[in-house]
Amino acid sequence: MNKYLEPDQQTVSLIKNGLHPFDDLDLVFVSNFHADHFDPYVTTQLMLNNEKVKLICPQQVINKMMIFTADYAKIKDRIIEATPVANQYDRLIVNGYEILACNIKHEKKENDHVENMGYVVNINGVKVFHSGDSDPENNDSCVQAIMPTYFVGMQDHSNPTLDYIYVN
């Protein structure tokens, strides 16, 4: 069994075509360029079919999009690069949302070269954190500065909060 969750083909089709529930997105975040986080073709199609959505991602993701997508020029103005130096964060305001993008060390030593972003998004006073592939044992000083307690997932990559979250 694959330990990484991937959307089924029906969901991928909805994403690519910008159909409900992916038809009214403001922002898309990509934490790193690995295939379990990002597909340049699907992301490009989503952006082509949803002309208001903006992509926030590290430079390595942008590089992959430039290489692998023929339509990059059509969407490049809506791509926002967020790649602060290690253990630092960038504060962005995009579409009225406050976003802190933090360059967090990847959980696997062999992936030290990977630009792995964690994001804190402030939505009307409610902060949502996405850790990318960061290691909860890392105790990254950047993340501690912006979110003192931040890991909900477990070491085995399960996430108990998924049992309680329903998106309509």
Side-chain angles (χ1 to χ4, degrees):
M1 182 174 142
N2 185 349
K3 73 176 185 175
Y4 300 111
L5 296 175
E6 296 177 4
D8 59 32
Q9 286 305 309
Q10 181 181 359
T11 302
V12 170
S13 179
L14 294 173
I15 294 169
K16 287 190 320 192
N17 292 300
L19 300 174
H20 183 76
F22 306 100
D23 57 340
D24 192 29
L25 301 177
D26 294 317
L27 304 170
V28 171
F29 296 88
V30 175
S31 56
N32 68 58
F33 69 83
H34 287 159
D36 61 324
H37 292 252
F38 166 69
D39 180 308
Y41 175 73
V42 172
T43 304
T44 300
Q45 291 304 304
L46 168 67
M47 293 183 74
L48 289 170
N49 289 309
N50 185 337
E51 294 185 4
K52 74 174 190 171
V53 73
K54 292 182 181 173
L55 172 66
I56 300 168
C57 61
Q59 185 62 50
Q60 289 175 337
V61 168
I62 296 169
N63 296 345
K64 214 168 188 184
M65 291 186 78
M66 287 189 294
I67 294 168
F68 294 108
T69 58
D71 290 320
Y72 175 78
K74 295 177 184 175
I75 60 171
K76 70 179 183 175
D77 293 339
R78 293 184 287 133
I79 299 174
I80 300 163
E81 185 260 337
T83 316
V85 297
N87 294 317
Q88 298 293 317
Y89 64 89
D90 286 341
R91 181 179 178 271
L92 311 166
I93 302 293
V94 182
N95 291 356
Y97 299 104
E98 178 188 35
I99 300 157
L100 301 177
C102 188
N103 190 338
I104 307 172
K105 187 175 181 177
H106 194 282
E107 68 180 341
K108 294 182 181 173
K109 194 86 169 146
E110 65 268 19
N111 289 323
D112 277 351
H113 67 285
V114 174
E115 296 169 348
N116 182 63
M117 297 300 115
Y119 298 102
V120 177
V121 183
N122 188 338
I123 306 167
N124 299 323
V126 176
K127 292 181 181 177
V128 177
F129 178 69
H130 174 54
S131 64
D133 276 337
S134 55
D135 182 355
E137 300 299 317
N138 185 13
N139 292 318
D140 187 275
S141 60
C142 173
V143 175
Q144 288 179 10
I146 57 177
M147 294 284 282
T149 56
Y150 68 102
F151 275 95
V152 180
M154 308 302 279
Q155 283 289 52
D156 65 357
H157 296 284
S158 65
N159 189 335
T161 58
L162 294 178
D163 294 334
Y164 303 100
I165 297 173
Y166 175 74
V167 178
N168 187 0

